[in-house]
Amino acid sequence: TFNIQLMDGKKEVFRMGIMRNGRLHSALSGAEWTSVVTAIAMSVAEGLDDNLPAILIPDDRAWDGKTLSSVMRGFSKFDYQIIRSANVLPMPPAPEV
C-alpha cells in the first residue's frame, strides 16, 4: 500500500512511499520507487474516460526475480496496459499473461 503525506503537524511536506506497520517509509529502493510511482499512475488512469487508452511503462530498476514477480501480480489488476521491461526473469509462479 502506498501513501502520500502532505502535512507533518503544522508543517507542509511532500512525502510518498510505502506503508509498513502503520508508518510511511519514503526511503525506497529503485524497484519500490518505481512501484509507488506506477501505482499513482494507475490510480490516475482509473479516472480516465473508458474510451481513452492508458499505457504505463514503469522504469526498469534493478529488479530481482522475486520482486519482479510480486510487482507483476500486483500490476495485473490494472484494467489498462502496462509494458514491463526487465533484464531478469520473474521467479515462479510468474503471473499469467
Side-chain angles (χ1 to χ4, degrees), residues 10-62:
K10 294 184 179 183
K11 179 180 171 186
E12 290 184 17
V13 297
F14 180 81
R15 297 182 188 120
M16 67 179 185
I18 298 174
M19 295 298 292
R20 290 189 190 117
N21 300 320
R23 296 191 58 194
L24 179 66
H25 294 264
S26 57
L28 306 176
S29 71
E32 290 171 326
W33 181 256
T34 298
S35 297
V36 168
V37 171
T38 303
I40 292 168
M42 291 166 70
S43 294
V44 170
E46 290 292 339
L48 294 176
D49 183 318
D50 288 340
N51 295 323
L52 296 175
I55 300 173
L56 304 179
I57 306 173
D59 190 25
D60 184 8
R61 298 300 305 238

Side-chain angles (χ1 to χ4, degrees), residues 7 13 17 25 66 78 88 94:
M7 297 295 292
V13 297
H25 294 264
K66 183 178 176 183
F78 184 56
V88 297

